Amino acid sequence: MHKIGFTILLLSLSNVFMTFAWYAHLKELSSKPWIIAALVSWGVALFEYLLQVPANRIGYEVLSLGQLKILQEIIALTVFVPFAFFYMKEPLKLDYLWAGLCILGAAYFIFRSKWGVA
């Protein structure tokens, strides 16, 4: 698999774990003490790191640090919106669209030299 594609796959999977580690305790462990939520979240985050660290190492072979970061933000929003809607039962808002468009703008500027635009 191409290094960028493999990086995207690993970052996407790591983001699923990260999103659950950061936010699922708000729903699932809201009645538990914060220390329990923190320990459970750390346990989930371990899997995130096991995917994120190799993803960043592989991605850094073919992408700049800025490109890798913006790619991560695109993936984060792509994972977060369905999580918020389907799992947390939050309403969809136009703000997600506007945020996505801003991130697309950031992607344009950070990747334009790679695309031969700059």
Side-chain angles (χ1 to χ4, degrees), residues 30-103:
S30 62
S31 63
K32 302 287 185 198
W34 74 266
I35 190 71
I36 300 298
L39 292 172
V40 170
S41 293
W42 284 345
V44 174
L46 170 64
F47 296 104
E48 186 259 337
Y49 275 91
L50 291 174
L51 295 166
Q52 176 265 341
V53 170
N56 283 333
R57 286 176 169 243
I58 293 165
Y60 192 60
E61 293 176 14
V62 293
L63 298 170
S64 71
L65 187 61
Q67 290 169 335
L68 199 53
K69 179 59 181 167
I70 295 300
L71 179 61
Q72 170 62 32
E73 296 304 325
I74 292 167
I75 292 168
L77 189 60
T78 303
V79 169
F80 178 77
V81 172
F83 171 85
F85 181 71
F86 290 112
Y87 187 78
M88 297 296 288
K89 306 297 186 209
E90 295 277 326
L92 283 179
K93 299 178 182 176
L94 273 178
D95 291 343
Y96 293 136
L97 174 63
W98 308 137
L101 291 174
C102 289
I103 290 176

Side-chain angles (χ1 to χ4, degrees), residues 101-116:
L101 291 174
C102 289
I103 290 176
L104 284 177
Y108 168 77
F109 287 109
I110 204 77
F111 283 99
R112 67 185 174 156
S113 64
K114 194 167 202 62
W115 297 326

